[in-house]
């Protein structure tokens, strides 16, 4: 039976080479199995008949039985006609309308014959009207057996070629009729029995042609669980394999560097969350196993300080440490922060980015090779072959989703043993998504702000109130503070009504003639952009007009105002990241979200969430539910080695956890993946995986 599912889709009656090409290009359907896993996105109950007299214009799809009384045709220009059939069921008359395909309707349907008509009712000219209805002769049609009709996603190109949802449904029905023996099971019998899961064969048939809503829900639950289970099994297997295979350097000593810093240089008491994370890191690096830990924490929560203390542990045990940032400006910020924290301590900290050249670069490379450089701060330049460490023991990767998996993996070649890995992100990741994307990493969370930090006050202002907003900005800047004003675009777009940064910058110069303004956007040369950012950081510029390039940027504690224009065009996570640019000093900071008055319900909900909370995890959960997982946090680089076709991480959180628990149970029982008891699972996993790269080992 497996063979029939791998058969080329062109050999299914009704497909052929041309349709095969379209199905493959438009929907990724190349085999019988692909078609079977092209699941319906909605269903309509076909078992009930309505009377025309019951119908209203706001009802969903309905079904009526009756006869065509007569046809009318109306000219709509050269070679175009509107065809209308007057349809009567004994209670009232409604119109059936064709703007396209009218000729076919006139030839195919006859007055006086009883038909079943199916479609969405509207009201036109005071009468119920169904446009482009589905019509079938009432020749003993078993309506109860029709149950719930599936609807399939198609594309505009497919619809123009006559391949709409009904066409896909007919192909699926034809395929299911060819599957005369049960499809093989892909989960162990004891698992399906214990979890009360529908058999796979029944689930795959039912999901296309469910008898009722309850049976459909059971079929969907089975198929969702299976998808999520194999994703989790893939991740948990890699994590288990890494823990067994890779020994880690042991940081046994808490020595002079760490202790001197903790007692003399630490500028404030660590938060409870920072202490908790340090205990996690200490335990990992002293365990004899390689640390592979994800550190989550909002902008300004103190992740860099925790990373520095971990690097001091490495130095105390004779190892070098490296922190890699996605941009040169962020790397320079880390360097300045670390040197400031270490003030007076005898540790050599160096920078390696694209701008470090010539004699200075040679000196850094020599210092790394000899072991004299104990802490390196860099960008992608760190992974170049010319960069060799004497004894690399710890790698910290900041905003890790901005690096490709293969780039991060090259760091492993810099050390005899794999170094300990600490990956940091300021983008909070919802738990169900983290479990799927980073399920092979141990997770630590910093969920407290350092002492003295005040939550940013977020306000929503309509763009009709800009004069008052300008006055508020003026008052803040007059107090010696600084402000960001963020535009969503760089230049004018014909299709958009968004404000233009260039024009906006000139307007703002006229509004604030007494202040120095700077401008930053993504099309500037890196050196120009960095110079403008540094001018703002030094206080020479008081108002920075920018696009989202400042989302990850310099630390400016004096900046207390973030104005985001056309905030309705930004996602929740991006708004939260931008807000994180302020609130980094002791002064009360403000984030102003400016929108037009007319907003969609989803947009209003996003804005309300931003105004209600500063909790990045609540915001990330809301964002996931509103937008879906998409490619959030580099999904394509993650442990998800195959696509989800029916499961939804945002909405199936309980199933994600159940799948995780079951995968863990299997790995604990069969850590080497060799037991005959689970041979079915390992064979199925091999079929599903797209790649042999050990994602789990290089996160």
């Amino acid at each position: 039976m497996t063979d029939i599912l791998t058969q080329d889709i062109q050999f299914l009656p009704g497909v052929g080479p041309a349709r095969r090409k379209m199905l493959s290009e438009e929907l990724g359907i190349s085999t019988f199995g692909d078609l079977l896993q092209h699941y319906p996105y909605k269903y309509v109950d076909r078992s009930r008949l309505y009377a025309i007299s019951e119908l209203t214009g706001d009802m969903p799809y309905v079904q009526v039985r009756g006869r065509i009384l007569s046809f009318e045709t109306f000219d709509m220009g050269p070679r175009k006609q509107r065809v209308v059939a007057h349809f009567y069921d004994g209670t009232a008359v409604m119109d059936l309308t064709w703007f396209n395909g009218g000729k076919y309707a006139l030839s195919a349907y006859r007055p006086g014959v009883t038909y079943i008509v199916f479609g969405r009712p509207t009201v036109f000219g005071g009468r119920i009207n169904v446009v482009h209805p589905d019509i079938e002769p009432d020749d003993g049609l078993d309506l109860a057996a029709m149950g719930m009709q599936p609807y399939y996603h198609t594309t505009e190109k497919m619809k123009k070629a006559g391949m709409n949802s009904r066409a896909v449904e007919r192909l699926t029905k034809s395929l299911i009729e060819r599957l005369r023996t049960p499809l093989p099971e892909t989960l162990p019998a004891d698992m399906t029995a214990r979890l009360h899961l529908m058999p796979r064969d029944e689930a795959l048939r039912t999901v296309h042609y469910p008898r009722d809503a309850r049976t459909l829900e059971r079929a969907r639950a089975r198929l969702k669980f299976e998808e999520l289970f194999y994703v989790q099994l893939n991740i948990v297997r890699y994590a288990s394999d890494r823990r067994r295979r890779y020994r880690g350097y042991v940081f046994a000593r808490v020595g002079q560097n760490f202790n001197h810093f903790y007692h003399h240089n630490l500028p404030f008491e660590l938060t409870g969350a920072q202490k908790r994370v340090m205990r996690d890191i200490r335990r990992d690096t002293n365990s004899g196993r390689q640390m592979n830990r994800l550190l989550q924490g909002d902008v300004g929560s103190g992740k860099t300080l925790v990373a520095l203390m971990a690097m001091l542990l490495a130095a105390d045990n004779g190892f070098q440490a490296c922190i890699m940032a996605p941009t040169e400006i962020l790397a320079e910020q880390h360097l300045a922060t670390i040197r400031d924290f270490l003030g007076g301590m005898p540790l050599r900290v160096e920078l390696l980015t694209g701008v470090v050249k010539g004699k200075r670069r040679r000196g850094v490379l020599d210092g790394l090779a000899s072991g004299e450089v104990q802490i390196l701060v860099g960008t992608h330049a760190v992974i170049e072959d010319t960069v060799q460490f004497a004894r690399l023991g710890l790698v910290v990767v900041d905003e890790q989703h901005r690096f490709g998996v293969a780039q991060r993996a090259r760091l492993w070649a810099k050390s005899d043993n794999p170094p300990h890995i600490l990956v940091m992100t300021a983008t909070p990741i919802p738990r169900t998504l983290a479990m799927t994307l980073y399920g092979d990493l141990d997770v630590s969370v910093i969920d407290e702000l350092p002492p003295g930090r005040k939550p940013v006050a977020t306000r929503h202002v309509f763009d009709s109130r800009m004069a008052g907003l300008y006055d508020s900005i003026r008052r803040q800047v007059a107090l010696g503070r600084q402000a960001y004003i963020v535009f969503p675009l760089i230049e004018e777009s014909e299709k958009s009504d968004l404000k233009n940064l260039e024009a906006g910058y000139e307007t703002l110069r006229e509004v604030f003639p007494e202040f120095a303004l700077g401008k930053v956007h993504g099309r500037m040369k890196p050196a120009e952009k960095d110079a403008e950012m540094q001018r703002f950081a030094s206080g020479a510029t008081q108002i920075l007009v920018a696009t989202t390039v400042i989302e990850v940027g310099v630390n400016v504690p004096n900046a207390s105002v973030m104005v985001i224009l056309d905030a309705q065009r930004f996602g929740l996570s991006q708004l939260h990241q931008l807000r994180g640019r302020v609130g980094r000093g002791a002064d009360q900071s403000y984030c102003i979200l400016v929108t037009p008055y007319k907003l969609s319900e989803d947009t209003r909900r996003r804005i309300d969430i931003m105004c209600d909370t500063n909790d990045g995890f609540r915001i990330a959960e809301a964002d996931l539910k509103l937008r879906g997982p998409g490619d959030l946090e580099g999904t394509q680089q993650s442990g998800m080695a195959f696509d989800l076709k029916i499961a939804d991480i945002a909405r199936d959180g309980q199933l994600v956890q159940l799948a995780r628990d079951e995968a863990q149970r299997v790995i604990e029982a069969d850590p080497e993946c060799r037991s005959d008891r689970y041979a079915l699972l390992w064979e199925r996993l091999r079929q599903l995986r797209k790649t042999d790269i050990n994602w789990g080992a290089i996160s």
Side-chain angles (χ1 to χ4, degrees):
M1 184 54 65
T2 303
D3 289 341
I4 195 170
L5 293 186
T6 59
Q7 198 165 334
D8 195 303
I9 195 68
Q10 74 172 311
F11 299 117
L12 184 69
V15 180
R19 279 191 159 188
R20 191 255 187 230
K21 185 171 185 287
M22 182 166 290
L23 284 166
S24 176
E25 289 176 353
E26 297 298 302
L27 298 177
I29 294 173
S30 302
T31 66
F32 286 7
D34 292 338
L35 178 61
L36 203 57
Q37 290 187 86
H38 183 62
Y39 300 118
Y41 71 93
K42 73 173 182 179
Y43 304 82
V44 174
D45 188 354
R46 292 294 305 267
S47 62
R48 179 179 172 185
L49 277 174
Y50 287 83
I52 294 175
S53 59
E54 292 180 80
L55 303 185
T56 63
D58 57 357
M59 295 174 75
Y61 289 88
V62 296
Q63 192 166 238
V64 297
R65 177 192 279 127
R67 292 182 172 87
I68 294 173
L69 299 176
S70 62
F71 283 97
E72 278 189 275
T73 59
F74 301 88
D75 287 331
M76 295 176 62
R79 292 181 296 176
K80 291 199 79 174
Q81 278 188 328
R82 172 166 60 98
V83 174
V84 177
H86 305 298
F87 191 81
Y88 178 65
D89 75 340
T91 69
V93 175
M94 72 177 187
D95 290 340
L96 312 178
T97 302
W98 290 266
F99 293 99
N100 299 306
K103 271 189 182 177
Y104 173 80
L106 288 168
S107 64
Y109 308 125
R110 294 278 179 267
V113 176
T114 303
Y115 293 104
I116 302 291
V117 168
F118 177 76
R120 187 192 293 273
T122 58
V123 176
F124 181 74
R127 186 183 281 184
I128 292 293
N129 182 62
V130 175
V131 176
H132 296 150
D134 288 338
I135 300 182
E136 297 180 61
D138 181 25
D139 46 6
L141 205 60
D142 184 355
L143 294 177
M146 291 181 74
M148 301 173 73
Q149 182 174 337
Y151 278 73
Y152 298 86
H153 280 299
T154 57
T155 65
E156 285 304 313
K157 185 175 178 182
M158 291 176 68
K159 287 170 187 168
K160 285 177 182 173
M163 286 201 69
N164 57 12
S165 172
R166 284 303 294 274
V168 175
E169 182 197 342
R170 283 192 285 271
L171 293 178
T172 306
K173 189 173 186 179
S174 169
L175 171 59
I176 288 174
E177 287 169 352
R178 291 169 72 92
L179 304 176
R180 294 188 178 89
T181 57
L183 293 165
E185 189 51 78
T186 49
L187 295 174
D190 65 324
M191 185 184 292
T192 55
R194 183 162 38 79
L195 301 178
H196 306 289
L197 295 174
M198 185 181 278
R200 178 173 180 249
D201 178 75
E202 184 184 351
L204 281 168
R205 294 171 192 268
T206 299
V207 80
H208 292 286
Y209 293 100
R211 294 185 300 278
D212 52 56
R214 186 174 175 278
T215 313
L216 170 63
E217 195 48 46
R218 286 196 62 219
R220 285 173 60 82
R222 156 63 205 241
L223 297 171
K224 286 179 178 186
F225 172 81
E226 180 176 335
E227 277 190 348
L228 294 167
F229 170 74
Y230 278 106
V231 169
Q232 293 298 333
L233 187 64
N234 196 45
I235 293 167
V236 173
R237 182 175 72 102
Y238 278 146
S240 171
D241 182 57
R242 190 193 69 242
R243 290 188 185 104
R244 285 186 299 109
R245 286 176 53 196
Y246 298 120
R247 307 304 298 166
Y249 292 122
V250 177
F251 296 175
R253 295 178 63 239
V254 178
Q256 184 179 350
N257 289 308
F258 188 97
N259 283 320
H260 184 279
F261 176 79
Y262 192 85
H263 294 294
H264 301 288
N265 286 48
L266 197 61
F268 43 73
E269 176 76 12
L270 294 179
T271 64
Q274 287 173 313
K275 289 177 180 176
R276 185 175 66 241
V277 174
M278 278 310 305
R279 285 194 293 272
D280 292 342
I281 292 170
R282 178 85 185 93
R283 185 174 59 250
D284 288 350
T285 56
N286 194 34
S287 68
R289 294 196 307 265
Q290 183 217 16
M291 176 173 74
N292 212 23
R293 185 165 289 279
L294 171 67
L295 175 55
Q296 296 191 70
D298 271 344
V299 172
S301 62
K303 297 186 301 297
T304 306
L305 177 59
V306 168
L308 172 59
M309 293 172 74
M311 291 190 278
L312 293 176
L313 276 178
D316 277 338
N317 287 275
F319 292 95
Q320 295 163 293
C322 165
I323 180 166
M324 195 161 73
T327 64
E328 289 182 355
I329 194 163
L330 200 53
E332 288 169 6
Q333 179 182 314
H334 279 317
L335 179 74
T337 301
I338 289 169
R339 283 181 170 168
D340 188 46
F341 273 140
L342 294 178
M345 290 180 62
L347 283 163
R348 186 174 169 191
V349 184
E350 294 288 358
L351 178 73
L352 190 64
T353 67
V355 299
V356 179
K357 299 183 184 299
K359 189 175 178 182
R360 184 183 168 199
R361 187 181 189 85
R362 183 72 263 156
V364 173
L365 295 178
D366 289 346
L368 289 171
S370 68
E372 292 172 29
V373 173
Q374 288 133 308
I375 296 175
L376 180 69
V377 182
T379 54
H380 298 78
V382 168
I383 62 177
E384 292 173 4
D385 293 337
T386 54
V387 181
Q388 297 296 325
F389 292 82
R391 205 174 183 216
L392 180 62
L394 171 68
V395 173
V396 179
V397 185
D398 192 18
E399 293 300 334
Q400 57 80 39
H401 60 282
R402 293 173 180 244
F403 295 94
V405 171
Q407 291 173 318
R408 302 198 298 264
R410 288 178 66 184
L411 286 167
W412 286 56
K414 309 289 185 185
S415 187
D416 296 333
N417 267 359
H420 293 297
I421 305 289
L422 180 67
V423 294
M424 306 195 301
T425 180
T427 306
I429 305 160
R431 186 171 165 276
T432 52
L433 193 60
M435 200 187 299
T436 306
L437 302 189
Y438 305 112
D440 58 316
L441 277 74
D442 299 308
V443 179
S444 293
V445 176
I446 299 181
D447 50 10
E448 296 175 61
L449 287 177
R453 292 279 178 89
K454 296 175 183 173
V456 178
T458 305
R459 305 281 185 265
H460 179 201
V461 172
F462 293 120
D463 54 14
S464 57
R465 309 291 296 272
M466 292 302 290
L469 175 57
Y470 291 151
D471 287 341
S472 299
I473 296 170
R474 185 173 285 107
R475 283 195 295 272
Q476 284 288 310
V477 178
L479 289 171
R481 317 267 164 71
Q482 291 167 276
Y484 296 96
I485 299 179
V486 176
F487 285 79
L489 284 187
I490 297 168
E491 58 190 11
E492 199 90 55
S493 166
E494 288 177 13
K495 297 180 181 178
S496 174
D497 61 352
L498 296 183
K499 298 171 182 65
N500 168 265
L501 180 135
E502 297 289 352
Y505 175 70
E506 294 304 324
T507 299
L508 289 166
R509 285 179 65 186
E510 293 173 13
V511 171
F512 300 112
E514 70 271 42
F515 301 132
L517 274 66
K519 179 177 63 179
V520 175
H521 58 73
R523 299 205 182 159
M524 295 169 69
K525 291 179 180 175
E528 294 174 342
K529 190 165 58 180
D530 288 352
E532 281 291 353
M533 295 289 274
Q534 294 298 351
R535 275 171 52 77
F536 187 65
S538 70
T541 299
Q542 292 150 303
I543 297 175
L544 187 62
V545 181
T547 58
T548 55
V549 294
I550 60 159
E551 188 180 344
V552 175
V554 292
N555 181 14
V556 185
N558 192 49
S560 65
V561 180
M562 167 63 69
V563 177
I564 304 173
L565 301 173
D566 285 307
Q568 77 278 5
R569 304 291 174 144
F570 295 85
L572 269 175
S573 289
Q574 196 170 35
L575 289 173
H576 183 62
Q577 282 286 302
L578 288 166
R579 177 168 62 183
R581 292 293 101 212
V582 296
R584 305 168 77 88
D587 296 321
Q588 176 63 61
S589 292
Y590 302 90
C591 177
I592 313 299
L593 307 176
V594 181
T595 73
Y597 183 76
K598 191 174 180 181
L599 295 173
S600 71
E601 190 178 329
D602 272 1
T603 301
R604 205 170 285 277
R605 198 177 306 138
R606 280 206 315 272
I607 300 296
D608 288 346
I609 289 166
M610 285 296 297
C611 293
D612 288 345
T613 183
N614 279 275
D615 184 335
F617 290 94
R618 272 188 62 196
I619 288 167
E621 289 282 0
D623 202 25
L624 183 63
K625 284 175 181 165
L626 286 169
R627 294 195 301 128
D631 191 28
L632 185 63
E633 284 298 295
T635 305
Q636 302 308 317
Q637 303 174 3
S638 75
M640 284 176 64
F642 32 88
D643 299 328
L644 298 179
K645 297 183 184 298
I646 192 168
D648 183 328
I649 294 169
R651 294 173 179 83
D652 297 323
Q654 286 184 312
L655 278 177
V656 173
Q657 184 63 62
L658 181 62
R660 176 68 165 202
D661 293 344
E662 289 299 316
Q664 201 72 54
R665 186 197 294 256
V666 169
I667 292 298
E668 285 170 4
D670 186 15
E672 296 191 3
C673 313
R674 292 180 181 171
S675 166
D676 289 343
R677 179 184 174 190
Y678 296 115
L680 172 72
L681 298 182
W682 307 129
E683 177 55 33
R684 181 62 175 162
L685 191 60
R686 274 191 288 274
Q687 292 171 8
L688 289 171
R689 282 173 55 217
K690 290 178 180 175
T691 172
D692 290 325
I693 296 173
N694 187 340
W695 303 113
I698 57 179
S699 295

